[in-house]
Every structure is written in C-alpha cells, then in structure tokens.
Amino acid sequence: MGGLNLRSVPRLQLVLSKFVPFIVIGVIFIVLPFIAPPYLQSMLTKVLIYALFAMSLNLIWGYTGLMSLGHAAYFGVGSYITSILIIRYGMDSFWLIILCAIVATAILASIFGIIALRVSGLYFLLVTLALGQLIYFFSLAWRQMTGGNSGIFGVPYPDLGITGISWNATYFYFMVLVILGICSYVMYRILQSPFGQALVGIRENKRRMRALGYNTWLYSYIAFIIAGVFAGIAGVLFSYFLKGTTIAQSGLTTSTIALLIVIIGSTRVFWGPIVGTIIVVLLEYFVSIYLPARWPMILGAIFIISVMFLRGGIGVNLLRLWGRVSYWYGSVKG
Amino acid sequence: MKKKLITLLGIICLVLILVACAAPAPSPAPAPAKPIVLGYLACFTGSSAATNPWQLNAIELAIADIGGQINGRPIKLVSEDTASDEATSVDKARKMVEVDKADVLFGPLPASGAAAVSAYTTPLGILHMGICEWMLTSLKLAKTELAPDGTHKGTGYYVGLYAYDVLGARTATVIHDDISFAEDFTQGAMDGFASRGGTIIQRQRPPIFEQDYASYLTAIKKADVVIYWFVPPNAFRFNQQFQQYGLTMPRAQGGCTSMGDQMQQDLGEKAVGIVSAASCDAGVDTPEVKAFIDRWTEMFGDKSPEKGNYPEYNEGLTQYNTVYIYLQAVKALNGDTTPDKVADVLLSQKFDTPWGKVSFDSNGVGVGNKYVMKITNVNGKYIRTAAKVYEQISRDEPAEAKDKAPKM
Amino acid sequence: MDLLIINLLNGVCFSTILFLFAMGLSITLGIMGILNLAHGALFMLGAFIGLTVSSSGGNFWLAAIAGGVVAGIIGLVIELVFLRRLYKQLDDQVLLTLGLVYIIENIALWFYGGSVRVVQPPAFLDFPIAIGGFTFPVYRLMIIAIGVIAFIVLWWLIDKTRVGAIVRAGMDDKEMTIGLGVNYGLTCSIVFTVGAFAGGFAGLIATPVIGVVFNMSMSILLYALIVVVVGGPGSVVGTLVGSLVIGITDAFGKAYFPSFAMFTMYVVLIAMLLAKPSGILGRKIWED
C-alpha cells in the first residue's frame, strides 16, 4: 500500500485499517437482508455460497498458483452427498451431513491431488479438467443414485438439531453468512500463517522454495485438499439452497464461472472473490432483465475484458484506493 | 488512467449494490385493478433453446383469445430465461413470485426443471402448470401442480398401442437416451405394445451426450418396428443416420413429438413415416385447429426471426393450451387468482382448446385427446398429419398396462 | 468378424473427423505454445457457414471449403488480436478463449436459432453398401478417404516444405529460428490459419453425420484435447495416431459399454498424462 506514512498513523488505526475491508463487507452483508427486497435476498444467499466456492479456488489458484479447470468436482460432490443422504437415505442432521461431505471431499481431493500434482502447467490444467469431467460423467451415468440428467430434488431446510426454529429464507441467509464467516476466518488464518506464506512462495518461484528446503509437493497437496474441502462445504450449502442437485454443479460451466469470479475479484487479495461474486451475480441479474438471451455473450466479453484489461482485478484496485484514502487521512491527521 | 477507471468501476459496483437494495420492488401499475401476472419460465438459451421464439407468441395469442383482461384485470406476461438449467429455473421462479408477484408459474419445458420448480412452489402453495409432460411425482406433490399434457408414460403408451394396432408390428426394438424421461416415454410405449401382446426384443440406451449412433445402428436387431425417444437434437441425428445404415424398419417415436418442422424439412425423405404422439399439433385437420392457425398467422405472420419459412407451430401449441386453460379457469372465478381456488376449478371443470376438451384427474394429469401424428410428404413439405385420435383419455398410463413390458 | 470390421470403420470415420479438427489444436499447441479452447467454436462456425452456402444453392464441396475459409479467417483474427499477446500465459489463454467460445456460441444461437441443422451429403454418396452381413454408409467411407488425403497433404507440408521446416525448427528452438532471420510470426499466422481452416472444414463434412448446433463446441474440443495429449502435440503423425486411438476406442467402447464410453476417454487421458505427458509421438512442452 504505497504512500502510507507508518509513523504518523497510530497502531490501533493500523490494525483497524487491515481489517476494514472485512468490516465493510461484513456490515453490508448483515444489513442488506433488512433493506433489500426478498428476491434480492435469495440472490445474496447465492452470492455468499459462490463466494465461498470462489475463495476455495483462490486458495490453490491465487495463493498457490495452480489453476484448476475442474474445481467444481468438489462443489458437485458436496452438493450430491447432501441431496443423496437426505433424500435417498433419510438423514436429517445438518452437522452429520456436513461432516460426511467434508470427509468425502477430503478423500476425493487427496486421491485427485496425487494424480494432478504429478504434472504441472498445461498438463495440470488438463488433468484437473479431466478429473472434473470424470465426476460429471460419473454422476450422469449413475442414474439410480444421482438422478442422472434430471438431478435429485426435495431437500428441505437444514435440521440444525435446535428445536423451535421456523425456517425462512432470511434465517437461511444468516446461517449461510455465519458459515461463510467461519470458513473465511479459518482460510484467512491458514493463509496468513507460515504455511500460507509458503504457498505464495511456491506461486512466485517454486524452484527457489525447493532450493530453500521446502517440500513444495506436500504444501501444494495440502492446499489442494483444503481447497477441495471448502468447495465441498459450499456445495452442501448450495444443495440446501437449490433444494436439490444436478450434474451442472460438477460441470465445466460451474468451474469456469468460479475462474471468472476469482479473476475479476483479484487473485492477490483474500476477499477478492467476494467482490467478484457480487459483480458477476449482479451483472447477470441486470442483464437478464434487459437482454436475457445475450447473457452468455456478455459473460464471454467479461472474460476477455478481464484478461486483456483488468490486470489484477478489482480487489487490488480497491485496496489501492483504500491505501490512498488512509494516506490522506493519516496525513491530514498528522 | 486505466487504474483510475478500474477503481471507479469498483466503486460503481458497490454503489450498484446499495442502489439495488434501496430501489423498491417494482410495484404494479397504478391501474384500478391488479393485473393477472403470468410467470413463464422460458428456455431462451441452453439445450432447450430451439423452442424459443414461438412460446411467447403462443401465450400472447392465448391472452388475446380470452380478451386481454378478465373482469377488468389486465393480463400481464412476465418471462424469464432459465438457460435450460434447473438451478436457474428455481432462481427465476423465485424472482417471478417475489418480485413480479406472479399468480401462476408455467414451465419450464424440461421435466427436470419443472420438478425443481415444483419442489419450490409446492410448500408455498403457488399454482404451477406444465407446458409439456411431467413426472408423476411432481404432479402428486400438491393439487396446485397440474400438467395438461400428462405424464411421459401416458404419451408413450398410445404410440405403443398404435404400433401394434395400426402398424401391425408384433416385435419391437427400443432405443432411447439414457435419461429418466426418455426411459419413461419408452417404458410407456413398451407397456402399451406389450399389453396388446407384442414382444420387445431389444433395448439400447445411448448416453445423452451421444451424437453418433453408428454402433447402436449397427447393433440394432431386426424387428417390426423401432420404438425410440430422444431429445430433439438427438432424435434429429438418429433419424439422419438411420437410413444411412440401410435400415428400413418403421420408426415410432415412443413419446411426444420432439422434432420441429425445420428439422423435418432438413431430413426430407429420411423423416417420412415416423409416428409420434401429441396432445396438440398443427397437423390435426379440424375446423377449430384451422381457425386457430388462421388466427396465429393473422397475428404473427412472418414474425419468425430465425426460422425462415417454417413457423414451427408445434413448439408454441402446448403453451397456448395450458395458458388458455388457466385463463378460462380464472374467468370462471371472475378474475380471482387465488391458487387454491383456481386449482379447484381446474380439477372440476372441462375446458375448451382447439384440440377438444381438456380436464384434469385428481392427480392433476390432463384428460383429453391424444393424437398419433405421422410425418408425411405433402407437396414437397415434410409435415405431420394426424394418423389416429384417441379421444378423451387420461394422459397417464392406464393402470392395467402398468409394468406390462419386461424390465429390460 | 464382420461386426468387428464395421465397428472398426465406425471408429476410423470418427478418427478422421478428429484428425482434421485436432490438427489445428495440435499445431498451435506444439509451435506456438498456445492452448486455443475456441477451436471447437471454429468447428461449429465452419459447419454453420457451410450450411448457409449449401442452403443458398452451393454444392457440398463448395460449402465445405467456404466453411473452412471463414473459420480460417476468424482464426487468424483471433490469433492476431488476442493470442499473440498471450504467449506462454496459459491461465490467460484459457480464460480468454473460453470467453470467445461463449461469445461465438451465442452469436450462432442468435443467427441460426437453437435447432440442430444438417447438410445432406452429396446425393451420389448418400446410400449404404453391404459389408459382410451389415450395411455401412458410403458417405462415411468418403470421410475416411478425405482423411487419408488430408494426412498425406499435411504430412508433406510439415515434413517436406520449407514452411514445414521452419515450423519444426521453431518448435525445437524458437530464439534460434528467429535469430536465423526467419519471419517466425508470419509462419505462425499461416500455420494457425491452416489449422483453423482444417477445423472449419472438418465441421462441415461432419455435419451430414452429427449435424451442427450452437452448443457443440466444447464436446468436440474435449475429444480433440484428449487426441492431442495422447498423440503428442506438434506432430502430424502424432495427431493421426492419437485420433486413431481415441476414435477406435470410442467406437468399441460404445459398442460394449455405452454408459461408460466417455468416462473411459478421460481415464485414458489421465493415464497418458501421468505416464508420458508428451504423448505417444510428441515433443515435450513446458518443463516446469
């Protein structure tokens, strides 16, 4: 954050300024449901879920430098497990279901990670793509369990084991918000830790990290699994949101939307994906009002613009803006 | 300069959020009477996009035919793109209910999308009607879930009967997409065929993403009839490749008509003789249907952005019927659109459509005519003509035919 | 035995389409280090343009060439405007070309509608012949013949001409080639255009079999990716081998385990990537 004169800014304000983006985002999301019309509320719930999914992708892409074209596999598996356990096996408890999903996606990611991390660059991309497609076609073929092309529907609101809650969309929104908050906090701590910093080191210069004695494979592998698990959690939430699951949740389109969200929001900034999700979902909402049949075209245009012009993404630029504001504030005060 | 632009963009987006929240939900026009809002879940993009332009025309015609208003309440159509995707269908359904205050939801076309929306509408008691065949499970969820076109098995059943009775087939080979409604369609056809005494000698299930049926056509066994059902693109490809492999067996589409007029024209001679079943079709030759087509042509004429010279009537017909039936029910209630009351009327009365009377059984399955349509060459145009009518039947498989066909 | 031959012919026919289409992908990946995910959209465009030509009265072959030419031009434009700037930036190439796919598909939907369309093959080819106890469409035999000719032409181009020599030299050592005074950029553009032409051409000749529809870009692209990885990028013979492997496996897979055919393709891809990433006959790109 260039231009920040550290000596003239008291310590408390320094700490605060680091957390301000989170505070701002948090406040917006807490206040919004009360002032927003109900449809927007469910859109916001979708934003929160996709933000979690995108943040998990950012973990391996933005922070570790591994672009995955098949990240939706974990999202889809998390979603399917939820729908299948509830509808086919009559399981109720939200906590049990999310635990199963975490375990399942962790196992899946650990298997896929071993395969994918044997190669790098272009081949990593192709392997992750292939693995994602495997899940997609596997879900399609296993019709008895997953409903195949039609999907599986009928998921009610989550059973938290707490009596006396009469669910509605607003409560569900806050539940998702709380879970997003918890997951974000956990991810944040992971990424701020030495482990997380090593990941950034791997992204920047893998050879150097290896020379310094780091087991880059192991670090990447663990990051891969963690990213998969958080994607799975997002999938669980999505299943409750959609009241079911379809093969689209593990498909290429879902993976690519996540890529777009991360790149628009900023890969270098932790809360970047949240901003990216808001932008993409909002844009889709407005476009669907005026030019519904042209949304894919506009989506494509956004991809191209992001790559050619929006270097760094919006998040980074917001940070710079914030830096300038703090500097101005600091220099005015001092 | 670029950076400032980007930062500005970021701020604008944040502001947009706040504005979107601050903006009040669109309120109904300050007319003396609240409009009747029809919520239509369309497929403008995605795999069912082929059926786009005609649906809206069909609904407009239905609205015009009822008079544009009921008891002083103007009728308003709101349509949204579901991208042929289940998740988006539910999203848009939510939007139409919460923002547009829709009184009824129609669609979407794919049965799986409709099932997803049913899961949403049922607990809220919102009236939801189908523009195509539905799964029986969706219909049984609530009395506010109704499908004039019935179920998949119901449609396939009559093709099975026709194959035995009229085509004289005694053996059949079955092939269909490996998805649940293709399975249901052909199961219905198989049940109909077997209930008459026919034998099914083979069943193949190519995956839905299959485009080249070479190995299936090579493996197909010789029978008196080929009963198949594919989603429109695949049905098209299957029929294109069928004769190229030198096959000459009669083909029966064991379910609803899924090839549009343009596709039939493209196929030409390759399409002649194919039969399928429908609740309504422009090729049915009755005065009421002719009058309907005249009204359509008068209202829309050449308004066919992408279709060249072939207005694909069939794609717009089921929408017309369903909406028209709904509007008649509301008219019978003098403009009362309370879902519960409208559902009661729908379940108890008979309604007019150009294709005869339609009513509903207790499950919400339509009761009406079923037409077996055959593709014929009429002066160089490849169109469907009615080969047989099954009058006033329940558009679900009859109980006595259930499970008549072997599990293959 | 006859059934085996028929399935084999089915497979080889599909291999030909794949070969013509995947050549473009293979060459751009091999020489220019560019992953062009929009290549599938060029296949679709070639088919649609050919459809327009054919329905306005043009003959079949004219339609095929027209489709190829338009695809070639659009490919060239994409290369010059976008891909040139993204040399070795893999992530960006993926995102950009994906964006192009969305746009091109939506334009196709806009202009041609959502239905599957078909161009009927030339009348003199539109009949079946008997092979053993089965029948097989003559048009598909024609496709195989076209493939053989195309292979010979392309192989000659790459192996025997100066342009081909430049291309091969560039794949091995780009700096040196440029240093020797070769206009590498021009060569790349020419090669890209030829590859795009082949893709569009393949699109039209595949139409009498599988038709053309706006959302077919990614499915054919994914097949081609597998072909390129298995056969090895940057090599004509490699692409041929890859196409044959994938096409024939696909045909036999479909004949014996239909639901799992696609599944098997991806398993093959993964196995190849793990065992020998450079493919059966390819050169290694990007040691990381």
Side-chain angles (χ1 to χ4, degrees), chain B residues 107-128:
Chain B
L109 189 73
S112 46
V117 173
S118 298
Y120 163 71
T121 52
T122 309
L124 299 172
I126 296 166
L127 191 61
H128 180 209

Side-chain angles (χ1 to χ4, degrees), chain A residues 32 35 38-40 42 46 137 140 143 149-150 153 241-242 246 248 278 282 288 293 310 314 317 320-321, chain B residues 3 6-7 10-11 13 17 21 45 81 85-87 91-92 94-95 98-99 112 116 178-180 183 209:
Chain A
L32 272 182
I35 58 176
Y39 174 65
L40 204 68
S42 61
K46 190 162 84 158
F137 285 108
L140 183 63
R143 201 146 50 86
N149 201 49
S150 309
F153 286 94
F241 173 73
L242 185 65
T246 65
I278 296 174
L282 262 181
S288 72
L310 219 55
I314 298 220
N317 289 287
R320 282 198 202 117
L321 176 71
Chain B
K3 291 191 186 135
I6 293 170
T7 341
I11 302 178
C13 288
I17 305 172
C21 304
T45 58
D81 183 22
D85 173 65
E86 292 80 5
D91 253 359
K92 296 296 162 75
R94 239 191 278 259
K95 181 219 169 225
E98 293 169 7
V99 177
S112 46
D178 193 12
I179 54 173
S180 50
E183 180 97 24
F209 46 74

Side-chain angles (χ1 to χ4, degrees), chain A residues 6-326:
Chain A
L6 286 170
R7 259 173 297 214
S8 71
V9 179
R11 194 166 185 275
L12 176 65
Q13 279 170 324
L14 189 65
V15 168
L16 265 180
S17 69
K18 208 163 52 137
F19 285 105
V20 161
F22 298 109
I23 297 176
V24 168
I25 293 176
V27 165
I28 291 180
F29 277 111
I30 294 176
V31 166
L32 272 182
F34 298 107
I35 58 176
Y39 174 65
L40 204 68
Q41 206 172 74
S42 61
M43 211 167 70
L44 285 172
T45 315
K46 190 162 84 158
V47 165
L48 294 178
I49 298 174
Y50 266 91
L52 180 59
F53 178 44
M55 285 202 291
S56 74
L57 178 63
N58 199 23
L59 216 148
I60 34 159
W61 184 22
Y63 282 87
T64 322
L66 298 167
M67 184 198 216
S68 166
L69 268 178
H71 204 56
Y74 312 102
F75 186 73
V77 166
S79 193
Y80 266 122
I81 289 202
T82 311
S83 298
I84 289 174
L85 285 177
I86 293 178
I87 296 174
R88 301 249 189 264
Y89 292 103
M91 212 186 269
D92 282 322
S93 163
F94 173 76
W95 307 110
L96 199 56
I97 287 171
I98 208 169
L99 186 68
C100 290
I102 290 177
V103 167
T105 42
I107 293 176
L108 188 70
S110 49
I111 298 173
F112 280 2
I114 294 183
I115 300 175
L117 287 169
R118 284 198 47 162
V119 293
S120 53
L122 170 71
Y123 299 112
F124 179 79
L125 216 77
L126 292 177
V127 168
T128 50
L129 172 64
L131 291 169
Q133 292 291 96
L134 267 181
I135 296 291
Y136 180 82
F137 285 108
F138 184 74
S139 316
L140 183 63
W142 199 11
R143 201 146 50 86
Q144 294 79 359
M145 192 59 99
T146 63
N149 201 49
S150 309
I152 175 175
F153 286 94
V155 174
Y157 277 120
D159 179 356
L160 294 178
I162 306 170
T163 48
I165 305 181
S166 61
W167 281 100
N168 64 32
T170 316
Y171 289 155
F172 184 65
Y173 169 85
F174 279 111
M175 186 195 98
V176 171
L177 185 62
V178 165
I179 294 181
L180 175 67
I182 298 173
C183 290
S184 306
Y185 181 68
V186 171
M187 267 196 269
Y188 185 72
R189 291 307 300 258
I190 293 174
L191 290 169
Q192 294 296 102
S193 73
F195 174 77
Q197 283 162 4
L199 293 181
V200 176
I202 293 174
R203 178 190 76 207
E204 293 301 321
N205 194 331
K206 208 194 309 191
R207 286 207 182 100
R208 182 138 189 255
M209 292 300 284
R210 258 189 250 144
L212 285 170
Y214 282 90
N215 183 346
T216 55
W217 184 90
L218 188 62
Y219 277 81
S220 306
Y221 185 58
I222 296 177
F224 194 84
I225 298 178
I226 297 176
V229 167
F230 280 112
I233 296 176
V236 170
L237 295 172
F238 191 78
S239 178
Y240 281 109
F241 173 73
L242 185 65
K243 307 213 168 297
T245 310
T246 65
I247 49 170
Q249 268 71 73
S250 49
L252 196 54
T253 314
T254 309
S255 291
T256 53
I257 287 275
L259 289 175
L260 180 69
I261 289 174
V262 170
I263 201 184
I264 286 184
S266 268
T267 51
R268 303 285 156 125
V269 171
F270 180 72
W271 42 267
I274 301 180
V275 173
T277 320
I278 296 174
I279 293 173
V280 171
V281 173
L282 262 181
L283 262 166
E284 185 187 10
Y285 177 65
F286 283 113
V287 170
S288 72
I289 296 178
Y290 301 110
L291 290 167
R294 305 276 83 87
W295 167 242
M297 193 186 289
I298 293 177
L299 188 65
I302 301 174
F303 268 96
I304 295 180
I305 294 172
S306 325
V307 168
M308 304 294 284
F309 303 113
L310 219 55
R311 303 245 131 231
I314 298 220
V316 160
N317 289 287
L318 277 178
L319 259 179
R320 282 198 202 117
L321 176 71
W322 177 250
R324 282 200 205 108
V325 170
S326 306

Side-chain angles (χ1 to χ4, degrees), chain C residues 179-216:
Chain C
L180 286 171
V182 170
N183 189 344
Y184 195 64
L186 178 65
T187 316
C188 282
S189 297
I190 294 176
V191 165
F192 196 95
T193 311
V194 169
F197 173 87
F201 183 82
L204 190 282
I205 63 167
T207 309
V209 174
I210 57 173
V212 55
V213 68
F214 75 101
N215 58 6
M216 72 186 317

